[in-house]
Amino acid sequence: MLNIVLFGPPGSGKGTQAEKLIAKYNLVHISTGDLLRSEVAAQTELGIQAKAIMDKGELVSDEIVIGMIANKLADNQNENGFIFDGFPRTVDQARHLRKLLTDYDERVSIVVSLEVPKEELIQRLLKRGKETGRSDDNMETIANRIDVYEKQTIPVTYYYQKMHKHVPIDGIGKVDDIFSRITEMVDKVHV
Ligand code: B4P
């Protein structure tokens, strides 16, 4: 299997690049943000709790997101692999992902880490907020999401660096150019 972790700060283009990678490598897309937003839309108990946390720009509990990932993995065996988009976001989530994949004799193939400066992230997210009305794409929540990323999610990069899986990619430029930079690196681990 080809198991790609798509990593980066909010607004770095994870969702955008995930769509293209799925089409090229025929992978199952697991976006914890999308999964949480569908719970919010369906107004489930989990969705109601999650919305309050997401609107503040905080992270939903590890227990909830790890449970969602475990279900998705169990439902999608016999596939070419997975794209983990926006997961793991804490070192504890990364450790659990390792355990879950080991249960299926699998492992993370590569961690694609999109690098984009803070100013550009803010501009992209404010633009999306205006265009789509996404409730967490407002200045106050964006600032907290970036802060949470720096404090709680950056340590995940050290975890994967130690395993020699972390690959930084310049996330500035045209979407297709960034995609080419990513596939060049993915093709090195996927022969
Ligand atoms: P996510 O849905 O993961 O939101 P995100 O980090 O903002 O990334 P997204 O994929 O949507 O945006 P992208 O960078 O593609 O998470 C939302 C919330 O859910 C979190 O704050 C948290 O509360 C919760 N959550 C999710 N996962 C969790 C977890 N594992 N643990 C705990 N909580 C979790 O794109 C942004 C914009 O940039 C788009 O409008 C796009 O069009 C634009 N863009 C992309 N590429 C571009 C380029 N090259 N140039 C210009 N613009 C570009």
Side-chain angles (χ1 to χ4, degrees), residues 10-16 32-33 36-37 54 58-60 65 85-87 89 93 120 124-125 128 134 136 145 171 173 175 178:
S12 55
K14 300 184 295 284
T16 309
T32 39
L36 288 166
R37 279 185 288 278
M54 292 163 83
E58 300 289 332
L59 294 182
V60 174
V65 286
D85 167 1
F87 177 92
R89 264 176 154 96
Q93 290 181 14
E120 169 78 12
R124 286 184 189 180
L125 293 172
R128 184 172 66 186
R134 200 170 120 169
D136 57 348
R145 283 157 70 193
V175 169
I178 299 165

Side-chain angles (χ1 to χ4, degrees), residues 18-150:
E19 275 180 36
K20 298 175 74 71
L21 287 162
I22 293 154
K24 179 169 167 82
Y25 297 105
N26 196 16
L27 303 172
V28 176
H29 186 204
I30 307 188
S31 157
T32 39
D34 287 351
L35 290 172
L36 288 166
R37 279 185 288 278
S38 35
E39 295 284 339
V40 172
Q43 295 186 313
T44 63
E45 201 178 314
L46 191 161
I48 292 163
Q49 283 175 27
K51 183 169 172 26
I53 297 167
M54 292 163 83
D55 281 350
K56 280 191 273 177
E58 300 289 332
L59 294 182
V60 174
S61 80
D62 284 347
E63 199 189 346
I64 289 176
V65 286
I66 291 162
M68 294 192 315
I69 295 282
N71 290 339
K72 272 281 191 183
L73 287 178
D75 291 348
N76 288 286
Q77 286 307 307
N78 309 316
E79 301 281 351
N80 287 340
F82 295 92
I83 292 218
F84 298 96
D85 167 1
F87 177 92
R89 264 176 154 96
T90 64
V91 172
D92 206 39
Q93 290 181 14
R95 292 202 184 105
H96 273 87
L97 177 60
R98 190 179 187 191
K99 275 192 219 141
L100 286 169
L101 287 174
T102 306
D103 287 345
Y104 297 103
D105 269 337
E106 283 297 327
R107 62 189 180 86
V108 167
S109 314
I110 183 170
V111 177
V112 170
S113 181
L114 293 168
E115 317 243 300
V116 177
K118 207 188 268 191
E119 269 315 303
E120 169 78 12
L121 299 174
I122 294 169
Q123 293 317 315
R124 286 184 189 180
L125 293 172
L126 285 176
K127 183 165 176 263
R128 184 172 66 186
K130 265 195 209 134
E131 286 168 1
T132 68
R134 200 170 120 169
S135 64
D136 57 348
D137 284 343
N138 63 77
M139 194 56 225
E140 196 184 344
T141 307
I142 292 166
N144 196 41
R145 283 157 70 193
I146 294 175
D147 204 38
V148 165
Y149 173 79
E150 287 172 349

